[in-house]
Amino acid sequence: KLAIKYAYDASHSMNNIPDIINAVIERLVQASYELPSFYRLSRLVRHTRHTVNNKIFNEAMKKIMASNQIEMFKKLLILQDGKQRTLFDKIKNQPKRPSIDRFQDYLDHFNWLMSFENVMHYLDGIAKVKIEQFAEEANQLTADDLSDCSESKRYTLIASLICRSQGKAKDA
């Protein structure tokens, strides 16, 4: 039970299985508990992380639905007429570094990203590390891959990617 509690706590701020396992092992050793087998600990951590992530995805989804932005998120995954890529691909593919020649392209992309307004309020309460990891996961997936995910996970990953892209665009 203690290992589950530690895994649950660590899963709120970490997403990588090995990191969570290490945190659980460390806390169990500090508490002078005998360690379970690695297989058992790994299964426990995977299950706990899955539970925590689903809770996070569902909470973010409630906020997205409450703001009536679900249609905007759906449109990102649909191919537009005459286009070969979705708007989701446009989020993933930031323009090259802003130079004098490419400044207008970058500014157009920046303004387009800012048109999503502040998506950070959908992600309130989620650790920055997890948002970054969700954004990286979204960046690795295609629009078709995202369609295979649950709706709450899909839109949380997209919101995380938009949040990270907005931050990078502001920094640039």
Side-chain angles (χ1 to χ4, degrees):
K1 288 181 181 180
L2 195 58
I4 292 171
K5 180 189 179 315
Y6 292 155
Y8 186 81
D9 293 344
S11 293
H12 278 88
S13 61
M14 301 176 191
N15 207 42
N16 292 331
I17 297 292
D19 294 339
I20 299 169
I21 290 173
N22 287 337
V24 172
I25 289 173
E26 184 179 324
R27 295 203 48 202
L28 286 173
V29 168
Q30 285 175 351
S32 299
Y33 276 85
E34 184 177 331
L35 297 176
S37 70
F38 182 78
Y39 174 77
R40 186 176 200 149
L41 190 58
S42 176
R43 286 195 52 180
L44 176 143
V45 165
R46 287 176 193 281
H47 176 74
T48 305
R49 183 192 71 161
H50 179 75
T51 302
V52 168
N53 283 352
N54 280 339
K55 181 180 173 190
I56 289 169
F57 298 150
N58 290 332
E59 288 174 8
M61 184 67 179
K62 287 177 190 173
K63 294 173 186 174
I64 292 169
M65 290 178 74
S67 68
N68 295 321
Q69 293 295 316
I70 200 78
E71 286 304 315
M72 183 254 321
F73 280 91
K74 286 180 182 179
K75 287 179 185 176
L76 293 174
L77 299 174
I78 298 172
L79 272 176
Q80 305 297 315
D81 292 334
K83 304 276 182 173
Q84 293 181 349
R85 296 193 166 260
T86 63
L87 293 174
F88 175 69
D89 291 322
K90 186 176 177 181
I91 295 170
K92 290 176 22 174
N93 299 320
Q94 294 243 352
K96 302 220 182 332
R97 287 184 54 191
S99 64
I100 293 172
D101 297 334
R102 292 185 288 236
F103 188 74
Q104 189 58 47
D105 292 339
Y106 209 89
L107 196 57
D108 292 343
H109 186 76
F110 173 80
N111 289 330
W112 178 72
L113 282 173
M114 292 303 123
S115 72
F116 293 112
E117 298 177 9
N118 184 9
V119 296
M120 189 62 192
H121 69 273
Y122 305 138
L123 307 172
D124 280 343
I126 303 173
K128 299 271 188 231
V129 172
K130 282 194 92 78
I131 293 171
E132 183 61 33
Q133 290 170 336
F134 291 158
E136 187 55 38
E137 184 177 346
N139 197 44
Q140 300 300 319
L141 298 174
T142 64
D144 287 339
D145 294 336
L146 277 173
S147 297
D148 294 338
C149 297
S150 71
E151 192 177 42
S152 58
K153 180 177 181 178
R154 178 183 326 140
Y155 298 132
T156 304
L157 293 180
I158 292 171
S160 299
L161 183 62
I162 291 171
C163 182
R164 181 175 79 175
S165 297
Q166 286 177 337
K168 284 183 177 181
K170 287 176 186 176
D171 289 347

